[in-house]
Amino acid sequence: MTDPVARFCPRCASPAVPVVAGARHSRCTACGHTVWSNPVPVAGALVMREGRVLLSRRGPDALGGVGRWAYPGGFVELGETPEETALRETNEEVGLDNVRLTGVVGLPVASTAPSHVVIAYRAEADGDPYPGDDTTEVRWFELDEIPWDELAFPTTVETLRSLVRGTAGLALEPQHPMPAAEATVLDPFCVACAAPTKAASSDLPHGVCTSSECGTHRWRNPAVGTSAFLVREGRVLLARRAATMSRGGGQWTGPGGHLEHGETPEGALERELAEEVGVRASVIGLNGVHALRDPSVVFFSYIATTEDEPRALDETTEVRWFGRDEIPWPEVFLDSREPLRMLLRSDALERN
């Protein structure tokens, strides 16, 4: 599932070079398009009923974990939200179509080889489940009967342990409807050799190189990012992005950025906070899981604290602590407004 580092632009076939030395992200030397190479987001649902959790045994055509138990889940497709993925996969794998997502279980879990980030939702559903796509058996398990030695993936184990521990997760809030994706068409050129591509399937924007000497697959999933709102004494820290930034230039936002391959969301957050505002921070919890359709991005918003004094560094020109009634909303980056509103609806400022 890992894309090759792009040597050519998938939009115009011009040469592409790493954004910085050693990076897996590349930028076109002609049109400036950035080709991101991130971990792939995965979303699934832990369907609960009368204290039991629904698991399914993975069939012979499943991508990994064959014959082992997992909860319904799969890759977040381009232009799809994690919530939509969890609902779609639950219907496809265990036949439930009246599913209600009620919260996020624990924190997003990273798997570094292959490089995935898994979001698990707690859910409820009516009706009787049955084996669907890529599954051979479904069964309800009491939490003290989970077959730990027969689970499909380390991320499955970690998520179910959070469920059993009763780790406080994030309650879901209604999400504002997002516009339909504008950029879900197939990339026309191969990132490895610049030859034309063709669709790898009829219903997904994944492509394969038409050159018989190359044949590179180009998986198109949302990029994955992370951001943080640092809180202290009833205030929240925002950073003003440099005016040269292609998105949100000159506007206020929480520090953050894209995950690299092999990074956890918390690890990426630690790196971005050091690069952008020069602090070490402790994560308090998850503020929200958000999605953009165009560009297609899944990002995790965290609440954190720090004893260090923030300062403007890489890609920022100013940092400032704001009280609840001091937020400069007209100057807040559009992508940060809903996460910031979620923070203010919580009691995080009052508790820190």
Side-chain angles (χ1 to χ4, degrees):
M1 287 297 297
T2 300
D3 284 340
V5 177
R7 297 176 52 240
F8 297 93
C9 176
R11 294 186 176 179
C12 72
S14 298
V17 297
V19 174
V20 295
R24 293 186 59 87
H25 310 317
S26 300
R27 183 166 294 139
C28 178
T29 56
C31 71
H33 173 62
T34 300
V35 187
W36 299 103
S37 183
N38 300 116
V40 177
V42 176
L46 293 168
V47 181
M48 303 295 299
R49 183 178 297 172
E50 299 177 350
R52 299 175 298 166
V53 62
L54 180 66
L55 301 180
S56 60
R57 194 184 292 277
R58 295 173 66 82
D61 295 328
L63 294 174
V66 173
R68 304 178 76 82
W69 294 97
Y71 53 88
F75 298 115
V76 181
E77 297 294 343
L78 196 69
E80 190 176 48
T81 69
E83 291 94 335
E84 290 168 341
T85 301
L87 295 174
R88 172 177 56 77
E89 293 286 348
T90 303
N91 176 252
E92 292 174 357
E93 294 186 10
V94 298
L96 294 175
D97 57 9
N98 186 19
V99 180
R100 301 171 295 281
L101 304 181
T102 61
V104 178
V105 178
L107 296 176
V109 179
S111 174
T112 57
S115 194
H116 299 150
V117 179
V118 181
I119 311 109
Y121 293 93
R122 191 180 181 106
E124 300 172 347
D126 302 320
D128 295 323
Y130 57 86
D133 292 354
D134 300 331
T135 61
T136 59
E137 183 183 359
V138 297
R139 189 186 304 177
W140 295 99
F141 287 92
E142 300 285 350
L143 296 189
D144 60 359
E145 297 176 345
I146 291 173
W148 297 105
D149 293 337
E150 299 179 56
L151 297 180
F153 308 107
T155 52
T156 311
V157 175
E158 188 167 346
T159 300
L160 284 169
R161 282 181 175 157
S162 291
L163 180 73
V164 171
R165 288 194 302 264
T167 304
L170 177 73
L172 286 187
E173 295 189 7
Q175 300 290 308
H176 293 299
M178 292 182 294
E182 298 178 5
T184 59
V185 296
L186 184 70
D187 282 331
F189 300 105
C190 175
V191 297
C193 71
T197 60
K198 64 180 180 180
S201 67
S202 60
D203 58 343
L204 296 175
H206 303 316
V208 61
C209 179
T210 57
S211 170
S212 60
E213 297 179 357
C214 180
T216 295
H217 279 261
R218 171 68 173 157
W219 297 94
R220 295 196 65 197
N221 300 96
V224 183
T226 186
S227 66
F229 291 119
L230 294 170
V231 293
R232 178 191 293 174
E233 298 176 351
R235 298 175 298 165
V236 57
L237 182 80
L238 299 179
R240 191 188 291 276
R241 288 189 165 197
T244 54
M245 295 287 287
S246 60
R247 289 178 54 78
Q251 296 181 303
W252 294 99
T253 185
H258 287 266
L259 273 68
E260 303 287 350
H261 270 278
E263 275 189 322
T264 66
E266 293 83 3
L269 187 65
E270 179 181 347
R271 173 178 54 78
E272 292 288 349
L273 286 170
E275 291 174 356
E276 295 187 7
V277 295
V279 304
R280 293 168 297 176
S282 299
V283 171
I284 297 173
L286 191 65
N287 180 55
V289 177
H290 306 274
L292 309 175
R293 292 196 196 270
D294 190 15
S296 190
V297 179
V298 172
F299 72 97
F300 311 115
S301 170
Y302 289 90
I303 305 171
T305 61
T306 183
E307 296 181 358
D308 299 335
E309 196 56 43
R311 61 193 188 278
L313 291 173
D314 185 32
E315 300 177 350
T316 62
T317 59
E318 184 181 0
V319 295
R320 190 185 306 176
W321 295 97
F322 291 94
R324 181 180 291 274
D325 299 324
E326 299 170 343
I327 307 296
W329 288 109
E331 298 180 67
V332 173
F333 182 33
L334 182 62
D335 295 349
S336 298
R337 292 180 187 178
E338 184 58 23
L340 184 54
R341 290 189 180 103
M342 290 180 67
L343 173 76
L344 298 180
R345 287 195 292 269
S346 74
D347 61 354
L349 295 188
E350 286 71 26
R351 290 187 289 106
N352 297 277

